[in-house]
Amino acid sequence: MMNRRRPRCVGLVLGGGAARGWAHIGAIRALEEAGIKPDVVCGTSIGALVGAVYANGDLDWLEDWAGKLTWQTVVRLLDLRISGGLLGGRKVIDVFAHQFNGRSIDDLRLPFTAVATELDTGREVWLREGGVVDAVRASIAIPGIFTPIWHDGVWLVDGGLSNPVPVSAARAMRADTVIAIDLNHDILNGRDLGGAIDTMPRELPVEASDAAAAASAAALTGSADADTADGSANGGAAPEPLLRRNGKRFPRWLQPAGPGAVGGEDVRVAPPPSTRVPSVLSSVAQSIDIMQVRITRSRLAGEPADVLIQPRLGGMGIFDFHRAAPAIEEGRAAVQYMMPAIKAQLGLD
């Protein structure tokens, strides 16, 4: 009796990252344009939301909706609460509940799993049945931001606490080849403070000029009276120019600590710390970023994907939902960059 070989099963894993998740849309578009369609989809947090919409065949709708978001519309979707989290999430989830129209996970066009975390034990939970909206709402419940969800007798929160890029869930769904998208690999490597996201080409950036570096440092301190790039203080006279060996001035925050120290070892290497206390949202957002990066690296080291796609989204904050266009473009660019590896894994020409 001849044994027939089982067709290759391709799993698409969409990682968490809040607003950075719009990059998943561009990534999926690029895969589809190359004729690559996954057989199973798994997602955590925003990855669960985008994954569920994709598995339901509504990616066009999501791209159109996200592209029309402005900062004002994002604010209107936030429903502030006092207990459980800053946001209830009802307004946001109502938008998607209307689109899913009461469907269960079994009704989706593609097999789908959303990942959440049990709050009391930290246990990773795979949601593979039941209502789509309930599964997505549990997976996006960022602690301190969205209220937890009561599900089957336990409180569930964001899946990023336990598995930000759930490769293991795709393997459990019998995926032979796993294509995973990690949104968090470079988010701690400096931010552009609201500028455009750094997209292709994907070489290391040229070192910034002294003036640009000084200006960025002043911006990072958040100080209203930060020194300017040429070494002068706002509203004051410029100091005597202290020159480096290349003839350029020292920015004020890089000037030697004492007389005669030019070119010596007694030179500061960082601007003075800001005296402005970070806001609650800023502290929470940055803490979530740190957590996501650390957990992602740990999980992927033990459970690697066959192809790991890493869009460069370091300039995008977790609440920048109104910046869909550059995120989508970077997701597309990241897949195109990895296309040779993807085709090699799938045995495509």
Side-chain angles (χ1 to χ4, degrees), residues 101-183:
N101 195 26
R103 289 183 180 87
S104 69
I105 292 177
D106 290 336
D107 296 328
L108 297 175
R109 298 181 183 183
L110 292 171
F112 171 73
T113 297
V115 176
T117 304
E118 189 175 317
L119 184 60
D120 291 334
T121 65
R123 183 174 65 93
E124 179 180 341
V125 178
W126 295 347
L127 301 170
R128 296 188 282 190
E129 57 185 18
V132 177
V133 172
D134 293 339
V136 169
R137 177 63 182 84
S139 188
I140 67 171
I142 303 173
I145 303 296
F146 288 108
T147 54
I149 296 300
W150 184 254
H151 179 82
D152 286 347
V154 296
W155 288 106
L156 296 182
V157 292
D158 194 296
L161 282 176
S162 55
N163 200 350
V165 186
V167 174
S168 55
R171 301 287 189 199
M173 298 176 76
R174 304 189 69 186
D176 302 301
T177 301
V178 174
I179 301 171
I181 303 176
D182 167 26
L183 305 175

Side-chain angles (χ1 to χ4, degrees), residues 302-332:
E303 301 162 354
D306 296 294
V307 179
L308 182 62
I309 299 167
Q310 296 179 309
R312 296 171 62 175
L313 301 165
M316 189 168 184
I318 67 172
F319 299 114
D320 288 346
F321 290 98
H322 58 294
R323 300 178 63 196
I328 291 172
E329 182 58 31
E330 172 57 17
R332 181 187 295 272

Side-chain angles (χ1 to χ4, degrees), residues 58-102:
D58 289 329
L59 196 65
D60 289 342
W61 167 82
L62 179 61
E63 183 171 6
D64 181 68
W65 181 79
K68 293 178 180 177
L69 288 176
T70 65
W71 176 246
Q72 290 79 9
T73 55
V74 171
V75 170
R76 285 196 293 269
L77 286 170
L78 305 181
D79 47 344
L80 298 177
R81 293 174 59 96
I82 298 176
S83 61
L86 291 174
L87 309 173
R90 180 184 57 82
K91 293 182 181 179
V92 174
I93 211 64
D94 281 351
V95 174
F96 293 91
H98 176 75
Q99 195 68 23
F100 288 123
N101 195 26

